[in-house]
Amino acid sequence: MTAKAFPLLVLTGACLLMGYHSNLQAQAQQIELAFLSDIHLQDVYAPLHSPEFKGIFNPKTGKYATIRSMKSQLNSTRLFNENYFAFIQALEDLRHKGIQLVVLPGDFTDDGQPMNVLALQGILNSYARKYRMRFFLTTGNHDPVKPFGGTGGKKDFLAGDGSEQALAGDADFFPSEEVAVSSQINYWGYEEITRALADFGFFPAAEDIFWAHPFQELDVDGYDFRRALENSRLDQRLYRAENSQRLLPDASYVVEPVAGVWLLALDGNVYAPSGEDWSGSSVGFNQAVTAKRHQLKWIEKVVLEAEKRGKTLISFSHYPLVDFHDSASDAMKSLFGEKKFQLARVPSRETSSEYAKAGIRIHFAGHMHINDTGMFKEAVSGKTLYNVQVPSLAAFPPAYKILTLPEPETMEISTIQLETVDRMDEFFDLYRVEQQWLLQTDDPKRWNPRILDARDYLDYTRNHLLQLTESRFIPTDWPENLAAVLQELSQMDLERWAGMGSEDGENFLMKKLEETNQTERPDDFQGKLIEDFYLLKNGDELGKNLIPAVRLRFYESFFLKLLHKPLSESQVLDAQLVRFFSIFKQLYHSLPSDHFLIDLRQEEIRRFEKKPSSLETTPQR
């Protein structure tokens, strides 16, 4: 895709380019926007202003690194350290492509601490000033962890000897730990975060053609920047929390940064009173659909106004609006349990229906750290809602999305995967110090040092996912016998099992369990089923590209063999394996998620093949 720049001017004080809007109106170029989600930015060289702790000295840079331990990274669904460099790499990539409109759908920081918010502010200001890039943010559950902020802390900063150091805003925050104190690790709330990042969508800018929030009239014809700025204060954007008389801020907004395009930023965060404090939720729109009912009414108004004026409306939030497991979530709940695999975060059909009826047609989301495209057709109105899951830069697959608008009803979406990231290995020697500490203390949670042999950032995040699967996902999310047998079955075993009845299949699988670790693995297929499952679940087409062709061919033929495989609830393990492959098949045969086109007029998704002129229509489901 050829990137084409727009003559955008970043507001620095009262400066405004003469004739800006008229020049934009005259542009005949394609509009391009980038979506970078779940950056989880942490300042890896933060000034902590702490007398007790500076960080760990890095000889490569001559500076103290304020990084989290590798042990903590390998127990988390996100990286804390190397994603800092991945974010810079993505911005450099966009700069070279000439893309100037950039959307960050939440979790742009890791827990909204001053050190991280200010680091993000500095990076965005730099790219805005130097390259005239504009950024539009919405909040995620890791940005205002609490709506009004509060004392915060982390136990797992890497200390000079390789041990972990607790850091908090108060010495008593971790009662059983030796705590270093720094105000930089406290939580900021909406007021502090939006004020620091005010230039990035949360408030109107002079460059905008139009800007509004849910608590004011949509007066497009009478729009006045100064009046919009006066009315955009956070204390004028409040709603009453559920089961409480207290008011909470809602940072949602709609903005027209270039002629003809409206960006609808939905703040999907939900908080509940917890004594004198507040607790946040990561569930998303399943709760926001009732807790923020005012948003739905506002969305309806925005949609009608956009349609009346011929605007292309693009919705984005931290949270998804459609099932992001290729319609396999109900089957996953049946097999794994409703509280496993973060399945509580999957929007219900009722939730998807509400937002589809409100008129949202295309929605970009993050939160899940996966690559996916979902589609929902509302039964009564017939309206179709497309949900594009933007992967995280802090997890596998590390990627971002580019949306190109060749015409108002047509959307070309490409997924740009980060492979090479400059300075990716900047802390690897420090992790080796940590590894020595763990060995000396005989810590049972030692991590596998092979992750430090990663060829590039893609390989690094893949290794992160594999170790996380082994140490956390399998023990907590999987039925024990199912996980064990999946790691033992060979290709020949699976072909034999596929031709068996339920009782014979159960006996065969139980015998395989008895032979666990007693037989040599006859092929490189054995032990790869769970790995391939996560590559598909998290990466979709990006993950599928990493599965060897020989295994892909086997899966395609194997799915056909299972069409007539009986299922008996009394044969527990056999039934679990049948269900697993049913889910696996749904993830395998997904909607396009790499490079594709959404035709809103025809309600079609078409996959781009290697030749850009060749389009393959994917049937709706």
Side-chain angles (χ1 to χ4, degrees):
M1 174 190 323
T2 301
K4 298 181 180 178
F6 290 87
L8 297 178
L9 176 69
V10 175
L11 182 65
T12 55
C15 181
L16 183 64
L17 184 64
M18 297 270 305
Y20 171 79
H21 293 320
S22 60
N23 286 341
L24 273 179
Q25 299 280 1
Q27 293 296 317
Q29 300 166 316
Q30 291 185 130
I31 297 173
E32 291 184 309
L33 304 94
F35 292 81
L36 278 61
S37 191
D38 293 86
I39 297 158
H40 288 282
L41 189 79
Q42 175 181 284
D43 191 348
V44 292
Y45 289 107
L48 297 177
H49 308 298
S50 170
E52 299 98 350
F53 183 65
K54 294 180 180 179
I56 178 173
F57 184 74
N58 189 357
K60 285 186 177 180
T61 62
K63 296 188 292 185
Y64 283 89
T66 51
I67 59 175
R68 314 271 284 282
S69 69
M70 177 61 80
K71 177 182 173 181
S72 66
Q73 291 198 125
L74 289 173
N75 195 45
S76 169
T77 56
R78 64 191 186 277
L79 296 169
F80 300 123
N81 305 326
E82 286 66 38
N83 45 305
Y84 180 94
F85 303 118
F87 179 45
I88 301 298
Q89 191 73 49
L91 292 177
E92 283 294 294
D93 196 24
L94 294 176
R95 175 172 74 87
H96 289 297
K97 287 181 167 69
I99 296 176
Q100 292 180 296
L101 299 176
V102 184
V103 176
L104 276 58
D107 282 4
F108 42 77
T109 63
D110 204 63
D111 291 346
Q113 301 98 331
M115 57 186 260
N116 299 333
V117 176
L118 295 175
L120 180 69
Q121 179 198 61
I123 292 169
L124 299 187
N125 276 337
S126 175
Y127 278 84
R129 183 178 63 255
K130 292 179 182 178
Y131 311 115
R132 299 194 299 178
M133 295 170 75
R134 293 205 64 198
F135 299 92
F136 299 91
L137 281 57
T138 190
T139 52
N141 57 304
H142 281 280
D143 299 310
V145 174
K146 299 182 179 183
F148 305 107
T151 305
K154 302 289 181 185
K155 291 184 177 182
D156 51 18
F157 279 88
L158 191 58
D161 60 357
S163 64
E164 289 183 328
Q165 171 65 54
L167 183 69
D170 187 286
D172 297 326
F173 190 77
F174 297 118
S176 59
E177 303 283 338
E178 184 176 330
V179 176
V181 177
S182 171
S183 62
Q184 291 298 301
I185 200 68
N186 284 331
Y187 299 131
W188 266 1
Y190 272 86
E191 183 66 38
E192 297 91 346
I193 290 174
T194 58
R195 189 190 310 123
L197 304 174
D199 292 337
F200 311 122
F202 290 123
F203 300 94
E207 303 97 307
D208 300 330
I209 299 170
F210 176 69
W211 188 98
H213 63 72
F215 306 95
Q216 65 180 144
E217 291 299 319
L218 285 170
D219 185 8
V220 182
D221 293 326
Y223 179 71
D224 178 78
F225 163 62
R226 285 182 172 80
R227 187 166 62 248
L229 193 59
E230 291 172 3
N231 294 333
S232 67
R233 294 197 321 268
L234 213 58
D235 61 9
Q236 299 185 69
R237 299 158 67 180
L238 303 172
Y239 70 100
R240 195 172 303 282
E242 278 191 311
N243 306 316
S244 174
Q245 293 302 307
R246 296 182 66 181
L247 299 176
L248 294 176
D250 181 342
S252 301
Y253 61 91
V254 62
V255 62
E256 184 173 4
V258 294
V261 175
W262 281 14
L263 296 177
L264 177 62
L266 298 177
D267 176 3
N269 285 349
V270 174
Y271 304 91
S274 178
E276 295 298 317
D277 204 352
W278 294 86
S279 60
S281 169
S282 63
V283 172
F285 285 108
N286 280 339
Q287 290 183 337
V289 71
T290 55
K292 292 186 168 181
R293 197 71 189 173
H294 64 276
Q295 276 188 4
L296 278 165
K297 296 178 181 178
W298 179 62
I299 291 169
E300 292 174 359
K301 295 177 182 178
V302 172
V303 169
L304 289 174
E305 198 69 28
E307 290 176 349
K308 182 174 75 175
R309 297 173 183 276
K311 308 293 184 182
T312 298
L313 181 65
I314 301 163
S315 169
F316 70 97
S317 173
H318 186 56
Y319 305 98
L321 285 175
V322 171
D323 186 344
F324 42 77
H325 287 138
D326 302 298
S327 302
S329 290
D330 286 343
M332 291 173 70
K333 289 178 182 178
S334 176
L335 175 58
F336 299 108
E338 293 191 357
K339 295 184 179 180
K340 305 296 185 180
F341 279 86
Q342 303 183 72
L343 289 167
R345 295 179 171 186
V346 177
S348 68
R349 292 189 64 82
E350 293 76 15
T351 295
S352 299
S353 179
E354 290 279 2
Y355 289 90
K357 286 188 292 185
I360 292 178
R361 303 181 72 189
I362 181 79
H363 181 75
F364 286 80
H367 193 39
M368 300 311 303
H369 301 184
I370 65 171
N371 180 49
D372 181 74
T373 306
M375 185 176 69
F376 176 85
K377 194 171 186 68
E378 209 281 316
V380 177
S381 67
K383 294 180 178 179
T384 302
L385 167 59
Y386 298 92
N387 185 90
V388 179
Q389 282 300 128
V390 183
S392 170
L393 294 179
F396 175 87
Y400 64 88
K401 303 276 185 180
I402 295 176
L403 168 64
T404 304
L405 299 173
E407 54 186 73
E409 294 283 304
T410 304
M411 301 190 175
E412 179 188 345
I413 299 169
S414 56
T415 310
I416 312 301
Q417 189 165 249
L418 291 186
E419 295 186 12
T420 302
V421 169
D422 291 342
R423 300 171 63 187
M424 181 200 79
D425 61 350
E426 188 155 307
F427 306 128
F428 281 19
D429 286 344
L430 305 183
Y431 298 141
R432 293 184 177 99
V433 174
E434 175 191 347
Q435 182 74 353
Q436 287 301 311
W437 167 269
L438 295 173
L439 287 170
Q440 291 169 10
T441 56
D442 201 26
D443 191 310
K445 293 185 178 180
R446 290 192 301 272
W447 42 271
N448 193 323
R450 70 170 180 265
I451 192 171
L452 303 181
D453 298 327
R455 299 183 302 273
D456 51 33
Y457 191 63
L458 175 61
D459 191 38
Y460 182 66
T461 57
R462 181 179 179 178
N463 286 336
H464 173 260
L465 175 63
L466 293 178
Q467 291 207 33
L468 189 62
T469 298
E470 183 179 335
S471 65
R472 174 176 160 181
F473 293 156
I474 290 177
T476 60
D477 287 344
W478 288 74
E480 184 176 357
N481 281 352
L482 177 62
V485 79
L486 281 172
Q487 293 176 86
E488 290 301 317
L489 292 171
S490 67
Q491 180 176 332
M492 186 180 299
D493 291 333
L494 285 168
E495 289 174 336
R496 288 181 60 192
W497 169 78
M500 296 178 179
S502 297
E503 186 173 350
D504 288 342
E506 181 80 1
N507 292 333
F508 175 75
L509 296 175
M510 295 305 293
K511 185 176 180 182
K512 291 299 297 183
L513 283 180
E514 294 173 4
E515 297 171 354
T516 298
N517 298 324
Q518 297 179 10
T519 59
E520 294 184 5
R521 295 189 170 181
D523 55 37
D524 57 4
F525 179 94
Q526 197 169 7
K528 297 296 184 180
L529 275 169
I530 293 179
E531 178 181 335
D532 289 351
F533 173 84
Y534 278 101
L535 288 177
L536 290 173
K537 186 186 77 70
N538 289 26
D540 203 88
E541 289 184 323
L542 299 183
K544 195 174 186 178
N545 291 339
L546 297 177
I547 299 175
V550 64
R551 293 213 296 271
L552 294 178
R553 288 193 296 270
F554 170 76
Y555 291 140
E556 288 167 1
S557 63
F558 187 67
F559 294 148
L560 296 175
K561 294 178 181 179
L562 289 180
L563 287 175
H564 305 291
K565 171 77 175 167
L567 188 150
S568 172
E569 297 296 344
S570 62
Q571 309 300 326
V572 177
L573 185 54
D574 184 81
Q576 286 179 343
L577 195 56
V578 171
R579 286 199 171 94
F580 167 79
F581 277 110
S582 176
I583 295 165
F584 195 103
K585 180 181 177 182
Q586 284 181 265
L587 297 176
Y588 188 95
H589 294 299
S590 63
L591 291 173
S593 64
D594 185 357
H595 191 185
F596 57 100
L597 182 142
I598 296 177
D599 187 331
L600 294 177
R601 187 179 293 108
Q602 299 296 323
E603 295 193 343
E604 291 180 344
I605 301 180
R606 300 197 290 270
R607 179 180 282 110
F608 278 74
E609 300 298 341
K610 291 182 180 179
K611 294 180 180 179
S613 59
S614 175
L615 297 177
E616 174 192 335
T617 300
T618 300
Q620 295 188 18
R621 295 179 296 172

